Amino acid sequence: MGTKLAGKAPDRNHPLGYGRVEYLSATVISIIVLYAGVSSFIESVKGIVSPQTPSYTPTSLVIIAAAVVVKLVLGRHVKATGERVGSDSLVASGADALFDAVLSASTLAAAAVFITTGFAIEAWVVPPSAS
């Protein structure tokens, strides 16, 4: 949305155009990501203090693995497109999708550790919303 608004042609009220809207939208995305990070940290600490036994099904693991691939492809595409057109918002969105892929991969790693050893490490490596 920010990129679309930033591309609007100048008009009477905005003779220099709407380009700065993109900076604002990139800032909003950054604030949302920061909030998600702080919230995840707080929930992870709660999970470390009061651990729960996870349960994984083969179907959920396949879905998570597919999500990793999709997020990697999407993140690389969006980030590359943002760099090509000079859009900070798209670059930030692409980086966020790539980080989501890393988080989903950590879920798979935590599941592998739990399945093979019985030791639950989810609270240490996986944000609460991803597990």
Side-chain angles (χ1 to χ4, degrees), residues 44-52:
S44 292
V45 169
K46 288 178 184 177
I48 291 168
V49 172
S50 302
Q52 298 177 358

Side-chain angles (χ1 to χ4, degrees), residues 8-32:
K8 283 180 65 175
D11 59 21
R12 177 177 277 187
N13 292 330
H14 300 90
L16 299 177
Y18 293 83
R20 292 186 185 245
V21 170
E22 187 156 8
Y23 297 123
L24 180 62
S25 65
T27 301
V28 169
I29 290 170
S30 299
I31 290 169
I32 291 169

Side-chain angles (χ1 to χ4, degrees), residues 4 60 62 76-77 79 107 115 126:
K4 185 170 182 149
S60 66
V62 168
R76 290 185 68 193
H77 173 71
K79 189 173 180 182
T107 301
I115 290 168
V126 180

